Amino acid sequence: MMRFEVAPEVFEKLPDACFGVVAVRGADNTHPIEEVSRLLHESIAESERRFSGLKVKELPEITPYRDAFRALDINPNKFMCSIEALLTRIAKGKGFPEISPVVDIGNAVSLKYDIPIGAHDMGTVERALEVRPAREGDTFVPFGGGEAEIPDPGEIVYVSNGQVRTRRWTWRQSEIGKITEQTTDLLFPIDGFRSINYERTLAARADLAGYLETLFGAKTAVGLVDRDNPVFEADI
């Protein structure tokens, strides 16, 4: 059983937030997939065409996330939402590297719909992947390793069993729970807003689930978490 839940405190600050969910069982991430590479580079090229030379932080696709960061007491000029960081890099002509097929397909869909998409190894999750305020005892190991950090009190994090998987909502993922060649079971949260990009959230969810089934041989289950439905469970 895969479980994803968002705490009431998150919706108190972001009442319009919604989370598209793609749960994945049995993905094969052990070898390159030509179609995934093609889709990623198509998304990068299209983003370059659309946003080259523009100030990404002023785009209508991005400003709702900057506003949400402020509502969460996070300075968006210091800590960029993942999709803003990705598009800023591409708009400056720096491109984006291939990482691994299952991460690359998430990034391809994220860029296609201008929406943050995370990827979490559910094989490392004990009970549930949660989005909630940080608590005493929570720790975060930066991507690439290094000394563990203590999140700010009340900081909104992705977390499982006290191990923070993403700090500052959608800012930076942890070394713990990162995707590897051995990863087969995953959960992709798609962070959106009901009144702003709900249709894009659903479209991204459908695309991602379809690619994971057809290109990775995986089983998937999809859902949507919001203030009225704060828990997603899938038995796949």
Side-chain angles (χ1 to χ4, degrees):
M1 179 71 72
M2 292 193 196
R3 182 179 173 95
F4 174 64
E5 57 188 64
V6 180
E9 295 94 329
V10 177
F11 295 114
E12 287 171 9
K13 293 188 174 184
L14 300 177
D16 197 35
C18 65
F19 300 77
V21 186
V22 181
V24 186
R25 183 81 69 186
D28 182 357
N29 194 39
T30 59
H31 59 87
I33 300 174
E34 186 176 340
E35 178 69 2
V36 172
S37 180
R38 184 187 69 79
L39 289 165
L40 176 62
H41 289 284
E42 278 185 359
S43 288
I44 292 170
E46 179 62 13
S47 294
E48 285 178 341
R49 185 192 69 77
R50 293 169 61 208
F51 303 130
S52 179
L54 299 180
K55 291 184 177 180
V56 170
K57 69 179 184 180
E58 297 176 358
L59 297 173
E61 297 88 351
I62 298 303
T63 52
Y65 292 96
R66 293 176 63 85
D67 292 343
F69 267 43
R70 293 187 186 95
L72 297 174
D73 300 316
I74 303 168
N75 181 348
N77 294 316
K78 188 175 181 180
F79 306 105
M80 274 192 269
C81 171
S82 62
I83 186 61
E84 181 181 349
L86 191 54
L87 287 176
T88 297
R89 178 186 175 111
I90 291 169
K92 291 180 178 179
K94 296 181 179 180
F96 196 76
E98 294 184 26
I99 298 170
S100 74
V102 81
V103 173
D104 294 345
I105 197 62
N107 285 334
V109 175
S110 176
L111 289 171
K112 179 179 178 180
Y113 292 101
D114 310 317
I115 198 165
I117 299 179
H120 299 269
D121 186 337
M122 294 300 282
T124 67
V125 169
E126 290 191 14
R127 185 190 70 85
L129 181 65
E130 303 175 64
V131 185
R132 61 163 173 77
R135 301 171 185 159
E136 185 176 353
D138 289 345
T139 58
F140 174 84
V141 178
F143 198 81
E147 188 174 342
E149 301 173 0
I150 306 299
D152 297 335
E155 176 186 325
I156 299 302
V157 295
Y158 275 83
V159 59
S160 173
N161 197 36
Q163 297 175 329
V164 173
R165 308 307 176 94
T166 308
R167 285 199 65 183
R168 297 184 174 92
W169 185 25
T170 59
W171 172 58
R172 180 173 291 175
Q173 287 196 228
S174 170
E175 178 71 13
I176 297 173
K178 75 177 182 181
I179 307 306
T180 70
E181 283 190 0
Q182 289 72 45
T183 300
T184 59
D185 302 337
L186 308 93
L187 190 137
F188 290 88
I190 305 169
D191 307 79
F193 303 97
R194 274 278 188 180
S195 65
I196 298 167
N197 56 9
Y198 179 64
E199 295 301 326
R200 281 191 283 132
T201 300
L202 298 184
R205 186 185 69 177
D207 274 9
L208 188 54
Y211 290 137
L212 287 158
E213 291 184 2
T214 59
L215 300 178
F216 291 84
K219 293 182 179 180
T220 68
V222 301
L224 186 80
V225 167
D226 58 19
R227 65 185 304 177
D228 297 322
N229 302 281
V231 176
F232 165 86
E233 286 187 328
D235 188 8
I236 55 173

